[in-house]
């Protein structure tokens, strides 16, 4: 008769079961469904295992370049409007268009906008010589036009309000060939998927490989980065009066000062009411308040003593809703001094936030605007993947179901854990490809 010792077998089974339990319940596992906190000893959202990561596509970074044609079809200047990152986006799009049309690129025109308290041009923010050097082989670029062309005003081609499957070859190339010097504002809804790879590569190289801040601005940004306590999280929080007014959302419990500021910014944009307001909010159209942001941070088990750099402009409302819980919040105006900083405005201040955000240990955005898309993509380009976009839709849908407290935090953890694991929103798809980890 063969005898089997029960005790060793029991120990082996118990050990294996314990190992499987640890693997399945670990926050780094895609099967984990419990939010982490100090009481349970589990990590924050950054401990979730990434299943998909975005990296620059090889057809852009390592693919063969198609030689530039010997003769150009003319000159294109990109006219850029709005804030720094909107202008950056339009400029990158314009470079893809110029390459598509075999045009020579002229330095862009940045709008001098009183609304943005802005008068700086492209050369005040970006290193022109570095840009031209890095674009060599991707597109022809000139600092100045030939004398016979410089005397003429460019023929204006405004594509910004065009919709649908807008085609630049059909709609813009004839004007370029006729006038030889045109200025364009790219279409918001352009079909980049229809670009040949050499045009897309020019766009990608411009956005992520060629745009570097001027030496003086980069030095100031590096000084700011050095002054921030490490490690730190950069938070792009959008809750300014104009943002709330534009969203057409209403909020309960705001201070009288915030209500007055929003009302002054509304103009003709009246807030939605009744069922329309509920539908609008559930679609994720309402900006998160600082208080809601702090609540989601807690749901993601981000420690309340985290060093947070607030990447935001002037006029942010209700900020005490965040600072009362997350006490280590710093801003650029608190860390920088001197006349050179005091003279900064608009684009140059936004450039500081951009630089700090792409170099931060963690990046969180409460919106998915131009800056957020650019920062997330640039972080992916640099191999920094600790980036999260807070889900306004998930928060609105879950609260509309009556969830609150621990139940709401659990549901928010699950929603953001899946987004983070799958790399959703972590890079623009035009220049990046997903890699399974």
């Amino acid at each position: 008769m063969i005898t089997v010792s029960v005790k060793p077998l029991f120990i082996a089974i118990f050990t294996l079961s314990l190992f499987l339990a640890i693997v399945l319940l670990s926050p780094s596992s895609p099967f984990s469904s419990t939010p982490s906190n100090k009481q349970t000893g589990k990590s924050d959202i950054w401990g979730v295992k990434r299943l998909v990561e975005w990296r620059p596509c090889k057809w852009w970074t390592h693919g063969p370049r198609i030689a530039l044609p010997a003769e150009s079809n003319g000159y294109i200047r990109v006219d850029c409007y709005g804030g720094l990152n909107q202008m950056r986006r339009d400029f990158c799009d314009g470079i893809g268009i110029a390459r598509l049309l075999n045009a020579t690129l002229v330095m862009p025109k940045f709008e001098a906008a009183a609304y943005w308290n802005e008068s700086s041009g492209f050369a005040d923010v970006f290193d022109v010589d570095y840009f031209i050097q890095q674009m060599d082989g991707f597109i022809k670029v000139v600092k100045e036009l030939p004398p016979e062309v410089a005397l003429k005003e460019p023929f204006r081609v405004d594509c910004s309000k065009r919709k649908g499957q807008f085609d630049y070859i059909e709609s813009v190339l004839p004007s370029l060939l006729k006038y030889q010097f045109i200025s364009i504002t790219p279409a918001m809804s352009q079909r980049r998927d229809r670009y040949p790879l050499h045009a897309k590569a020019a766009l990608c190289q411009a956005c992520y490989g060629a745009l570097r801040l001027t030496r003086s601005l980069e030095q100031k940004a590096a000084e700011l980065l050095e002054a921030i306590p490490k490690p730190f999280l950069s938070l792009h929080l959008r809750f300014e009066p104009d943002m709330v007014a534009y969203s057409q959302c209403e909020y309960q419990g705001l201070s009288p000062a915030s209500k007055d500021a929003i009302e002054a910014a509304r103009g003709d944009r009246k807030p939605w009411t009744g069922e329309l307001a509920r539908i609008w909010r559930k679609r994720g159209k309402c900006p998160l308040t600082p208080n809601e942001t702090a609540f989601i941070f807690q749901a993601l088990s981000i420690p309340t003593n985290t060093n947070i750099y607030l990447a935001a402009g002037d006029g942010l409302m209700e900020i005490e809703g965040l600072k009362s819980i997350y006490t280590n919040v710093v801003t650029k105006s608190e860390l920088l001094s001197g006349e050179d900083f005091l003279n900064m405005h608009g684009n140059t201040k936004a450039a500081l936030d951009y630089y700090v955000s792409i170099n931060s240990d963690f990046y969180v955005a409460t919106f998915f605007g131009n800056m957020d898309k650019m920062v997330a993509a640039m972080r992916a380009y640099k191999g920094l993947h600790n980036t999260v976009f807070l889900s306004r839709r998930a928060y609105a849908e879950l609260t509309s179901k009556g969830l609150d407290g621990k139940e709401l935090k659990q549901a928010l953890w699950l929603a953001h854990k899946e987004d983070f694991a799958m790399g959703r929103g972590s890079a623009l798809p035009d220049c990046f490809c997903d890699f399974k980890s």
Side-chain angles (χ1 to χ4, degrees):
M1 177 181 293
I2 299 174
T3 60
V4 178
S5 175
V6 175
K7 187 174 181 180
L9 181 60
F10 173 79
I11 292 173
I13 294 173
F14 176 80
T15 302
L16 179 61
S17 300
L18 182 61
F19 173 77
L20 289 174
I22 292 172
V23 170
L24 291 175
L25 294 178
S26 168
S28 63
S29 164
F31 304 103
S32 171
S33 61
T34 306
S36 54
N37 53 56
K38 290 183 179 179
Q39 287 71 36
T40 61
K42 293 177 181 175
S43 65
D44 51 36
I45 187 67
W46 315 113
V48 171
K49 181 181 179 182
R50 297 295 296 267
L51 302 180
V52 174
E53 289 185 352
W54 293 85
R55 302 173 190 168
C57 297
K58 291 182 178 178
W59 55 257
W60 154 40
T61 56
H62 296 93
R65 295 186 200 171
I66 296 179
L68 294 171
E71 296 295 327
S72 166
N73 286 328
Y75 297 90
I76 284 183
R77 186 188 75 195
V78 185
D79 290 352
C80 306
Y81 299 88
L84 175 64
N85 290 288
Q86 180 180 333
M87 292 196 287
R88 180 189 179 114
R89 179 204 67 193
D90 286 348
F91 181 50
C92 294
D93 288 344
I95 291 168
I97 297 163
R99 181 67 180 94
L100 175 70
L101 302 182
N102 182 30
T104 298
L105 186 73
V106 183
M107 288 296 100
K109 178 183 178 183
F110 277 19
E111 174 193 34
Y115 177 81
W116 296 97
N117 188 23
E118 187 50 61
S119 60
S120 55
F122 180 82
D124 297 312
V125 180
F126 297 110
D127 187 329
V128 173
D129 291 331
Y130 180 81
F131 173 78
I132 293 175
Q133 174 192 343
Q134 293 299 310
M135 293 308 296
D136 183 42
F138 286 93
I139 191 172
K140 294 178 181 177
V141 185
V142 294
K143 282 185 181 181
E144 298 179 354
L145 290 163
E148 65 275 12
V149 180
L151 294 174
K152 300 185 298 183
E153 280 296 313
F155 180 78
R156 181 89 175 95
V157 183
D158 187 357
C159 313
S160 60
K161 295 184 173 25
R162 304 289 186 92
K163 296 182 179 180
Q165 296 186 356
F166 182 72
D167 191 293
Y168 287 98
I169 293 178
E170 296 173 359
S171 304
V172 179
L173 182 58
S175 296
L176 176 65
L177 294 172
K178 179 178 179 180
Y179 296 99
Q180 288 295 292
F181 179 29
I182 67 172
S183 67
I184 63 169
T185 302
M188 292 289 291
S189 58
Q190 64 181 294
R191 293 287 305 277
R192 297 190 193 96
D193 58 309
R194 301 171 77 187
Y195 282 20
L197 284 185
H198 64 269
K200 289 183 69 175
L203 183 156
C204 297
Q205 175 67 7
C207 250
Y208 309 112
L211 286 178
R212 185 174 73 179
L213 300 181
T214 62
R215 185 178 298 276
S216 60
L217 192 52
E218 190 164 277
Q219 285 176 345
K220 181 58 66 176
E223 178 187 335
L224 174 58
L225 181 64
E226 180 65 24
I228 301 171
K230 312 293 190 301
F232 76 98
L233 178 154
S234 181
L235 170 63
H236 190 213
L237 180 59
R238 300 299 310 272
F239 200 70
E240 302 93 344
D242 60 312
M243 169 63 70
V244 176
Y246 184 82
S247 74
Q248 297 182 266
C249 298
E250 283 208 291
Y251 295 83
Q252 302 298 321
L254 299 183
S255 69
S258 295
K259 291 179 181 178
D260 290 344
I262 294 168
E263 193 59 35
R266 281 209 189 277
D268 295 331
R269 292 184 177 276
K270 300 303 178 184
W272 297 108
T273 58
E275 184 61 21
L276 287 176
R278 286 188 287 273
I279 293 172
W280 192 246
R281 184 171 289 276
K282 285 181 68 175
R283 287 177 59 190
K285 298 297 184 179
C286 298
L288 292 169
T289 68
N291 189 60
E292 291 168 342
T293 300
F295 185 88
I296 300 176
F297 269 31
Q298 290 177 297
L300 303 183
S301 292
I302 296 174
T304 55
N305 64 349
T306 298
N307 295 314
I308 297 177
Y309 172 78
L310 195 58
D314 300 327
L316 197 60
M317 303 181 298
E318 306 290 316
I319 190 58
E320 286 306 316
L322 173 72
K323 288 185 174 181
S324 62
I325 299 172
Y326 287 84
T327 54
N328 295 335
V329 177
V330 296
T331 63
K332 52 185 171 291
S333 59
E334 294 169 344
L335 298 174
L336 292 178
S337 59
E339 189 175 348
D340 54 346
F341 175 70
L342 296 176
N343 289 332
M344 284 185 174
H345 50 81
N347 288 343
T348 47
K349 280 189 174 181
L352 296 181
D353 284 339
Y354 172 81
Y355 181 91
V356 168
S357 295
I358 66 173
N359 289 291
S360 60
D361 299 288
F362 313 96
Y363 180 73
V364 178
T366 63
F367 206 67
F368 196 48
N370 292 309
M371 174 173 169
D372 308 309
K373 294 172 185 176
M374 289 292 179
V375 167
M378 196 65 193
R379 286 175 61 81
Y381 178 73
K382 293 165 66 73
L384 302 174
H385 298 285
N386 283 337
T387 302
V388 163
F389 290 95
L390 301 190
S391 177
R392 293 170 293 161
R393 172 173 285 187
Y395 184 85
E397 288 180 346
L398 293 169
T399 52
S400 72
K401 295 176 182 178
L403 272 64
D404 59 11
K406 291 183 179 179
E407 191 178 17
L408 176 58
K409 287 182 178 179
Q410 171 74 4
L412 287 168
W413 165 263
L414 291 173
H416 288 85
K417 178 180 76 74
E418 183 180 2
D419 282 351
F420 185 73
M422 299 308 297
R424 296 193 185 109
S426 60
L428 295 177
D430 299 297
C431 306
F432 295 82
C433 298
D434 61 310
F435 290 80
K436 311 298 181 189
S437 59

